[in-house]
């Protein structure tokens, strides 16, 4: 596992340490979890942004219902 150095304001560091201390949490684990969650959020955002920029052909409602097996 690699190490990463991040600069944060003193007040943010104090809040982070207070939260982890008060609740018996592992500060490093919390930081990794927060980074992974934000990374996944950004990946989703940019995937949607890319897809929205590509042209598409709309599908009529009747065809959608047929494709999902809900048409008569």
């Amino acid at each position: 596992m690699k190490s990463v150095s991040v600069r944060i304001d003193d007040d943010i560091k104090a809040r982070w340490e207070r939260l982890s201390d008060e609740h018996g949490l592992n500060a490093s684990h919390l930081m990794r979890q927060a980074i992974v969650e934000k990374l996944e959020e950004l990946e989703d955002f940019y995937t949607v942004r890319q897809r929205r920029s590509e042209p598409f052909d709309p599908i009529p409602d009747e065809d959608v219902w047929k494709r999902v097996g809900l048409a008569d």
Side-chain angles (χ1 to χ4, degrees), residues 53-64:
S53 71
E54 298 169 358
F56 70 96
D57 294 323
I59 302 170
D61 289 345
E62 302 81 36
D63 291 348
V64 172

Side-chain angles (χ1 to χ4, degrees), residues 18-29:
R18 185 174 53 250
L19 179 70
S20 60
D21 289 345
E22 287 176 1
H23 299 282
L25 304 169
N26 180 311
S28 293
H29 175 74

